[in-house]
Amino acid sequence: MEGTEGAANVDGDGDGGDRPWQSYHTVYTTAKAGMEGVDKEKVQRVVYEMSKGSKYFQNEERKEAFINQKIQNLRIQCAKLTQADLAHYRKVADRRIVELEASRDLSRIWLHVDMDAFYAAVETLSNPTLQGKPMAVGSMSMISTANYEARKFGVRAAMPGFIARKLCPELIFVPTDFKKYTYYSDLTRKVFRIYDPNFIAGSLDEAYLDITEVCKERNVKSEEIAQELRAGVYEETGLTCSAGVAPNRLLAKVCSDINKPNGQYVLPNDRMAVMTFVSSLPIRKIGGIGKVTEHILKGVFEINTCEQMLEKSCYLYALFSQPTAEFFCSVGLGLGQTDSPQVRFRKSISNERTFSATEDEVLLHKKLVELAEMLSADMQKEGLCGRTLTLKLKTASFEVRTRAVTLQKYISSTEDILKHAKKLLKAELPISVRLIGLRVSQFNGDKCSATPDPTQKTITNFITSGDVNRNGSSFPDVADRDFVSDAETNLSVDNQQQTSQLDWRDPFVGNYLSDGDYQSCVLQKNDGIEEVQTPSNDATSSHHSGFTEALGSTSFQGQFEGINVMNESKLLEGASLNSCCQETTMLWLNDYKCSLCGIELPPSFVEERLEHSDFHLAEKLQKEESRIHQPCVPSGSPKRYRRDAYGKEEKERVENSANVHNGDHRRLNEPNHQRAPHPTQQEKRGSIAQVGQSSGQRKAGERGWWKDTRKQFNERAETSHRREQRDDKSQAKPDDNTFQRRDDFSERKDDPLPTSRKRPAFREKRIPVESGDVNLVVGRNDRKKEERSNNPQHLGRPEKPFADDRAPNKVGGRRDGFPSRGRRYGGNDSYRGRDKFNGRQGYSLDKIQTEKWKHDLYQDVSKDPIPQNEDDKIAKLEALLAS
DNA sequence: GCGGATCAC
DNA sequence: TATGGTGATCCGC
Ligand SMILES: Nc1ccn([C@H]2C[C@H](O)[C@@H](COP(=O)(O)OP(=O)(O)OP(=O)(O)O)O2)c(=O)n1
Ligand SMILES: [Mg+2]
């Protein structure tokens, strides 16, 4: 902590200037285990030298500049807070903290186990001659992970191989082999199951086990279980792993990293122990707090440790959304999830490929076909059908773009996917890209293994088409019906003859619409009826889908719930106002909240308030005007128009034939099912790196700082129980292979119940800031707003890698072996917890918006935030906290 | 619903 | 020469 304080005088950070290599984006997260003793500065310099000037680097710089701008804006907002504002947020924050404290659950014992240098260790098992030599799994382009010998040189996961080789000329590269990793992963899970049949598998190499019962039944200490478990894993696989034990998953994960290579650390279920542990813990160690979040918290609030989250809590509540601020505070309290998450199903399936940047349309088309085929195969393997297709492109300059369409029909066939993907791609066309990806989401209920073939589809479409037409959305078919594609083709061809668009003839023959087609689509639509309807349709559509989701999906529930709450609160709160002068008068309730939208705006934000009231006025005028004029659609540039037309077209279709389609699909889909959900869950790892550099202040002591922390933790532990939590590496030496059978894992089925915390919707606070404007503007041509970050799911997470390793394609060149696809999802789970403590945050600084929860906060404080019946409890906790 | 972004492994 | 792939979630529109 001492070092931490020093960090307070951060300043602008020394990037840029004399030591450009220290810019935080060049910092590979060197905080990972095994980086002790590494000359970080040297690594930084090498990385910088090797990257400097590259397109990749330039893009990183661009992103960093953007974030720095955001930091600036946040600082400005901070500076604007008056004493009164701070007092207000102080109150809000304190109240929340007390409530969070009240939710602390120390009854469970969680163990997080994480294999050491997993892929590398497995490779070493296969080839013992690699032992003791610096080695990395991956290629010259990208490294998946590196063994500890290599880490001494600064080599690490996600680092391009050519840079790694620069750092360590003798580095041995081993290609990835996911089958192997999966095999060993299964072996480890077999051991995990012994201690917790419902363990939560994170990725291939990590898992969370609730060992509460085992400890109780066998009357043994958690550390003994950890020892035993690790020994068991070693015996079964010949691989070493590390474990962390704590009262919740978030901390267990942090603990498993403390004595990382082949060690363990136990954090007792004791509040003081937890608070002490967390007090000096760097925020970056927390899953969900990544490079950007760390940079922002450090840059704006000078927060380096979890404890400081509490110290700055009022600022956090003042500048971020409640869920975000709450997450941060919960981290400061060392809270995390302790329940057993419910099974979750995958929400999307995707695939993407990187290749040498090209603008060759034929080539791109080819890629698209391959992706569509693979994706379709994966979907059918799992019996999935989805209605939203998203195309992802990464330009030669590393800028990522996504374009999506939501269809009325659920699709899964290569043809369907391709048909729409081509349209999306074409709209972006002339473009030089280095990556193309496809993703399908919005699954039909869940599974729909049926519909795997054209046959059924054809029938469905046939029926569908009739309905669609009946509804008047004539053109629409293009997008949906498969069989109709013939018609579509014809149409397309015709148009092509008329309008042309040679470039696309080859690759996209028949399926693609030329610009002319788009236009005619639009025209047809207009003729058909639309425009007038559009407005109302949109509204309906939106509402409808929202409703549906709320009913069917837990994850979205919160959102809608939130909206409802907002409305209600509006009504409640401003009842007297709303009922009579809602539209005309805007008041600042309690001198903080807008009576119309609920946004909270401190009195000191004079300009913002004026702007805000102007906004409502404008809104009102606009409404009135539209009432008079009605619809009419302005169109932008041709290109843009094209896209819009496409999207709108789809939307309408959804509306018009939703019922019919749903019926059909349901029938088709229901049948199969089987998706063994194996709820793997995972957590992220918070270890990391050193952005430290960027903050000049702690540069010197940084490495030592955390190291010391580790030492402290160990000492403390030893002192109290004298047990060596740290194993000697002696115990395990991954040498001989021991492989055996495989197994599969089980899943967790408990249903957790939603607990207290409402879903974190991570919005930010939205304090209007004029500076926000600046920010927004900063965005480039298209837009770009600000950002946010989020999430960790210390919970579920699907598993990713999978054995397949399907040869990635490469176009111009090489290809690396990465997990190309994550099948194995058999179940996925990924849950996420919408629950409590997952990290996420959103930073923004943008305009103003109505922030519902903000109001909630306000109400909480000024009215009656705390449930009566809990007063006592709270009071007690308060006393506890005070002590 | 869409697009941009973060995070994790 | 050369900077990955898969999935989830958030936020502001
Ligand atoms: N950006 C990343 C990070 C990790 N992995 C893969 C390779 C790792 O072997 C595996 C597990 O990730 P870990 O973060 O647990 O890293 P290791 O197990 O390799 O090392 P450690 O000993 O630090 O756990 O996931 C990857 O492909 N890409
Ligand atoms: Mg690991």
Side-chain angles (χ1 to χ4, degrees), chain A residues 774-796:
Chain A
V774 176
N775 247 353
L776 294 179
V777 178
V778 172
R780 321 167 244 307
N781 52 7
D782 231 48
R783 123 226 346 350
K784 198 118 251 175
K785 9 197 120 204
E786 53 256 305
E787 42 268 88
R788 4 146 322 320
S789 77
N790 55 343
N791 111 307
Q793 2 256 120
H794 290 10
L795 268 190

mmCIF file of all heavy atoms in Angstrom, chain A residues 774-796:
data_model
loop_
_atom_site.group_PDB
_atom_site.id
_atom_site.type_symbol
_atom_site.label_atom_id
_atom_site.label_comp_id
_atom_site.label_asym_id
_atom_site.label_seq_id
_atom_site.Cartn_x
_atom_site.Cartn_y
_atom_site.Cartn_z
ATOM 1 N N VAL A 774 -17.580 17.007 -26.707
ATOM 2 C CA VAL A 774 -16.289 16.968 -27.326
ATOM 3 C C VAL A 774 -15.943 15.540 -27.618
ATOM 4 O O VAL A 774 -15.510 15.180 -28.682
ATOM 5 C CB VAL A 774 -15.233 17.490 -26.356
ATOM 6 C CG1 VAL A 774 -13.882 17.350 -26.985
ATOM 7 C CG2 VAL A 774 -15.557 18.926 -26.023
ATOM 8 N N ASN A 775 -16.195 14.762 -26.649
ATOM 9 C CA ASN A 775 -15.853 13.405 -26.820
ATOM 10 C C ASN A 775 -16.503 12.793 -27.987
ATOM 11 O O ASN A 775 -15.930 12.094 -28.760
ATOM 12 C CB ASN A 775 -16.375 12.645 -25.635
ATOM 13 C CG ASN A 775 -15.210 12.185 -24.918
ATOM 14 O OD1 ASN A 775 -14.134 12.362 -25.429
ATOM 15 N ND2 ASN A 775 -15.411 11.618 -23.807
ATOM 16 N N LEU A 776 -17.745 12.990 -28.015
ATOM 17 C CA LEU A 776 -18.475 12.359 -29.074
ATOM 18 C C LEU A 776 -17.934 12.754 -30.396
ATOM 19 O O LEU A 776 -17.731 11.960 -31.260
ATOM 20 C CB LEU A 776 -19.900 12.823 -28.984
ATOM 21 C CG LEU A 776 -20.495 12.300 -27.729
ATOM 22 C CD1 LEU A 776 -21.896 12.779 -27.625
ATOM 23 C CD2 LEU A 776 -20.425 10.819 -27.769
ATOM 24 N N VAL A 777 -17.721 13.983 -30.481
ATOM 25 C CA VAL A 777 -17.242 14.477 -31.738
ATOM 26 C C VAL A 777 -15.957 13.836 -32.139
ATOM 27 O O VAL A 777 -15.702 13.578 -33.282
ATOM 28 C CB VAL A 777 -16.995 15.969 -31.629
ATOM 29 C CG1 VAL A 777 -16.440 16.456 -32.928
ATOM 30 C CG2 VAL A 777 -18.284 16.660 -31.281
ATOM 31 N N VAL A 778 -15.239 13.529 -31.157
ATOM 32 C CA VAL A 778 -13.970 12.928 -31.448
ATOM 33 C C VAL A 778 -14.118 11.724 -32.330
ATOM 34 O O VAL A 778 -13.322 11.426 -33.160
ATOM 35 C CB VAL A 778 -13.312 12.460 -30.153
ATOM 36 C CG1 VAL A 778 -12.092 11.677 -30.485
ATOM 37 C CG2 VAL A 778 -12.967 13.670 -29.337
ATOM 38 N N GLY A 779 -15.146 11.063 -32.104
ATOM 39 C CA GLY A 779 -15.351 9.865 -32.894
ATOM 40 C C GLY A 779 -15.111 10.164 -34.320
ATOM 41 O O GLY A 779 -15.151 11.267 -34.754
ATOM 42 N N ARG A 780 -14.834 9.178 -35.053
ATOM 43 C CA ARG A 780 -14.537 9.485 -36.409
ATOM 44 C C ARG A 780 -15.709 9.612 -37.223
ATOM 45 O O ARG A 780 -16.784 9.780 -36.800
ATOM 46 C CB ARG A 780 -13.853 8.433 -37.035
ATOM 47 C CG ARG A 780 -13.120 7.898 -36.479
ATOM 48 C CD ARG A 780 -12.879 6.842 -37.209
ATOM 49 N NE ARG A 780 -13.206 5.658 -36.661
ATOM 50 C CZ ARG A 780 -12.966 5.275 -35.798
ATOM 51 N NH1 ARG A 780 -12.516 5.998 -35.458
ATOM 52 N NH2 ARG A 780 -13.179 4.225 -35.365
ATOM 53 N N ASN A 781 -15.490 9.558 -38.423
ATOM 54 C CA ASN A 781 -16.531 9.720 -39.394
ATOM 55 C C ASN A 781 -17.806 9.025 -38.976
ATOM 56 O O ASN A 781 -18.829 9.618 -38.837
ATOM 57 C CB ASN A 781 -16.090 9.134 -40.696
ATOM 58 C CG ASN A 781 -15.613 7.760 -40.483
ATOM 59 O OD1 ASN A 781 -15.745 7.244 -39.394
ATOM 60 N ND2 ASN A 781 -15.080 7.155 -41.465
ATOM 61 N N ASP A 782 -17.757 7.826 -38.831
ATOM 62 C CA ASP A 782 -18.988 7.170 -38.570
ATOM 63 C C ASP A 782 -19.537 7.534 -37.265
ATOM 64 O O ASP A 782 -20.619 7.605 -36.994
ATOM 65 C CB ASP A 782 -18.783 5.710 -38.576
ATOM 66 C CG ASP A 782 -19.755 5.132 -39.452
ATOM 67 O OD1 ASP A 782 -19.876 5.549 -40.354
ATOM 68 O OD2 ASP A 782 -20.442 4.326 -39.322
ATOM 69 N N ARG A 783 -18.864 7.482 -36.342
ATOM 70 C CA ARG A 783 -19.455 7.780 -35.101
ATOM 71 C C ARG A 783 -18.533 7.287 -34.101
ATOM 72 O O ARG A 783 -17.495 7.070 -34.266
ATOM 73 C CB ARG A 783 -20.696 7.076 -34.948
ATOM 74 C CG ARG A 783 -20.705 6.364 -33.914
ATOM 75 C CD ARG A 783 -21.111 5.137 -33.890
ATOM 76 N NE ARG A 783 -21.783 4.479 -34.745
ATOM 77 C CZ ARG A 783 -22.343 4.866 -35.722
ATOM 78 N NH1 ARG A 783 -22.259 5.991 -35.967
ATOM 79 N NH2 ARG A 783 -22.971 4.136 -36.434
ATOM 80 N N LYS A 784 -18.804 6.858 -33.264
ATOM 81 C CA LYS A 784 -17.961 6.350 -32.315
ATOM 82 C C LYS A 784 -18.320 7.110 -31.182
ATOM 83 O O LYS A 784 -18.360 8.226 -31.132
ATOM 84 C CB LYS A 784 -16.663 6.812 -32.659
ATOM 85 C CG LYS A 784 -15.714 6.199 -32.150
ATOM 86 C CD LYS A 784 -14.964 5.634 -32.954
ATOM 87 C CE LYS A 784 -14.816 4.323 -33.180
ATOM 88 N NZ LYS A 784 -14.494 3.663 -33.596
ATOM 89 N N LYS A 785 -18.630 6.613 -30.261
ATOM 90 C CA LYS A 785 -19.020 7.349 -29.133
ATOM 91 C C LYS A 785 -18.083 7.052 -28.068
ATOM 92 O O LYS A 785 -16.971 6.908 -28.269
ATOM 93 C CB LYS A 785 -20.274 6.902 -28.697
ATOM 94 C CG LYS A 785 -20.492 5.823 -29.403
ATOM 95 C CD LYS A 785 -21.751 5.505 -29.361
ATOM 96 C CE LYS A 785 -22.377 5.468 -30.554
ATOM 97 N NZ LYS A 785 -23.339 5.568 -30.755
ATOM 98 N N GLU A 786 -18.450 6.829 -27.090
ATOM 99 C CA GLU A 786 -17.484 6.549 -26.149
ATOM 100 C C GLU A 786 -17.551 5.158 -25.805
ATOM 101 O O GLU A 786 -18.007 4.375 -26.472
ATOM 102 C CB GLU A 786 -17.807 7.194 -24.953
ATOM 103 C CG GLU A 786 -19.012 6.832 -24.685
ATOM 104 C CD GLU A 786 -19.670 7.895 -25.007
ATOM 105 O OE1 GLU A 786 -19.331 8.764 -24.516
ATOM 106 O OE2 GLU A 786 -20.498 7.804 -25.684
ATOM 107 N N GLU A 787 -17.115 4.796 -24.820
ATOM 108 C CA GLU A 787 -17.179 3.428 -24.595
ATOM 109 C C GLU A 787 -17.498 3.058 -23.242
ATOM 110 O O GLU A 787 -17.835 3.766 -22.426
ATOM 111 C CB GLU A 787 -15.883 2.882 -24.771
ATOM 112 C CG GLU A 787 -15.017 3.700 -24.213
ATOM 113 C CD GLU A 787 -14.610 4.557 -25.214
ATOM 114 O OE1 GLU A 787 -15.199 5.462 -25.384
ATOM 115 O OE2 GLU A 787 -13.704 4.361 -25.782
ATOM 116 N N ARG A 788 -17.323 1.939 -23.030
ATOM 117 C CA ARG A 788 -17.607 1.410 -21.760
ATOM 118 C C ARG A 788 -16.881 0.155 -21.686
ATOM 119 O O ARG A 788 -16.319 -0.291 -22.589
ATOM 120 C CB ARG A 788 -18.982 1.121 -21.642
ATOM 121 C CG ARG A 788 -19.618 1.320 -22.734
ATOM 122 C CD ARG A 788 -20.549 0.539 -22.924
ATOM 123 N NE ARG A 788 -20.244 -0.668 -22.531
ATOM 124 C CZ ARG A 788 -19.155 -1.127 -22.721
ATOM 125 N NH1 ARG A 788 -18.407 -0.419 -23.292
ATOM 126 N NH2 ARG A 788 -18.910 -2.240 -22.386
ATOM 127 N N SER A 789 -16.921 -0.426 -20.696
ATOM 128 C CA SER A 789 -16.252 -1.641 -20.686
ATOM 129 C C SER A 789 -17.077 -2.492 -19.842
ATOM 130 O O SER A 789 -17.968 -2.079 -19.247
ATOM 131 C CB SER A 789 -14.985 -1.487 -20.022
ATOM 132 O OG SER A 789 -15.155 -1.447 -18.739
ATOM 133 N N ASN A 790 -16.769 -3.643 -19.755
ATOM 134 C CA ASN A 790 -17.530 -4.398 -18.871
ATOM 135 C C ASN A 790 -17.115 -5.762 -18.675
ATOM 136 O O ASN A 790 -16.257 -6.259 -19.179
ATOM 137 C CB ASN A 790 -18.853 -4.493 -19.387
ATOM 138 C CG ASN A 790 -18.790 -4.997 -20.685
ATOM 139 O OD1 ASN A 790 -17.874 -5.004 -21.272
ATOM 140 N ND2 ASN A 790 -19.690 -5.437 -21.237
ATOM 141 N N ASN A 791 -17.696 -6.316 -17.965
ATOM 142 C CA ASN A 791 -17.882 -7.604 -17.691
ATOM 143 C C ASN A 791 -16.946 -8.657 -17.373
ATOM 144 O O ASN A 791 -16.161 -9.054 -18.030
ATOM 145 C CB ASN A 791 -18.512 -8.044 -18.832
ATOM 146 C CG ASN A 791 -17.772 -8.884 -19.591
ATOM 147 O OD1 ASN A 791 -16.874 -8.740 -19.934
ATOM 148 N ND2 ASN A 791 -18.076 -9.869 -19.962
ATOM 149 N N PRO A 792 -17.166 -9.242 -16.475
ATOM 150 C CA PRO A 792 -16.393 -10.348 -16.163
ATOM 151 C C PRO A 792 -17.392 -11.229 -15.903
ATOM 152 O O PRO A 792 -18.282 -11.018 -15.525
ATOM 153 C CB PRO A 792 -15.940 -9.996 -14.865
ATOM 154 C CG PRO A 792 -16.977 -9.214 -14.402
ATOM 155 C CD PRO A 792 -17.525 -8.537 -15.491
ATOM 156 N N GLN A 793 -17.481 -12.206 -16.018
ATOM 157 C CA GLN A 793 -18.502 -12.988 -15.545
ATOM 158 C C GLN A 793 -17.795 -13.812 -14.658
ATOM 159 O O GLN A 793 -17.132 -14.616 -15.061
ATOM 160 C CB GLN A 793 -19.030 -13.798 -16.521
ATOM 161 C CG GLN A 793 -18.502 -13.695 -17.531
ATOM 162 C CD GLN A 793 -19.014 -13.037 -18.572
ATOM 163 O OE1 GLN A 793 -18.611 -12.414 -18.866
ATOM 164 N NE2 GLN A 793 -19.799 -13.121 -19.253
ATOM 165 N N HIS A 794 -17.873 -13.634 -13.547
ATOM 166 C CA HIS A 794 -17.162 -14.492 -12.728
ATOM 167 C C HIS A 794 -18.019 -15.622 -12.630
ATOM 168 O O HIS A 794 -18.173 -16.198 -11.683
ATOM 169 C CB HIS A 794 -17.041 -13.965 -11.400
ATOM 170 C CG HIS A 794 -16.211 -12.932 -11.514
ATOM 171 N ND1 HIS A 794 -15.734 -12.333 -12.496
ATOM 172 C CD2 HIS A 794 -15.551 -12.312 -10.808
ATOM 173 C CE1 HIS A 794 -14.933 -11.440 -12.298
ATOM 174 N NE2 HIS A 794 -14.827 -11.428 -11.302
ATOM 175 N N LEU A 795 -18.626 -15.881 -13.506
ATOM 176 C CA LEU A 795 -19.485 -16.913 -13.474
ATOM 177 C C LEU A 795 -19.379 -17.596 -14.650
ATOM 178 O O LEU A 795 -18.534 -17.846 -15.214
ATOM 179 C CB LEU A 795 -20.722 -16.401 -13.544
ATOM 180 C CG LEU A 795 -21.118 -16.221 -12.443
ATOM 181 C CD1 LEU A 795 -22.426 -15.928 -12.634
ATOM 182 C CD2 LEU A 795 -20.959 -17.068 -11.537
ATOM 183 N N GLY A 796 -20.249 -17.873 -15.163
ATOM 184 C CA GLY A 796 -20.229 -18.702 -16.223
ATOM 185 C C GLY A 796 -19.622 -18.245 -17.397
ATOM 186 O O GLY A 796 -19.596 -17.159 -17.751
#
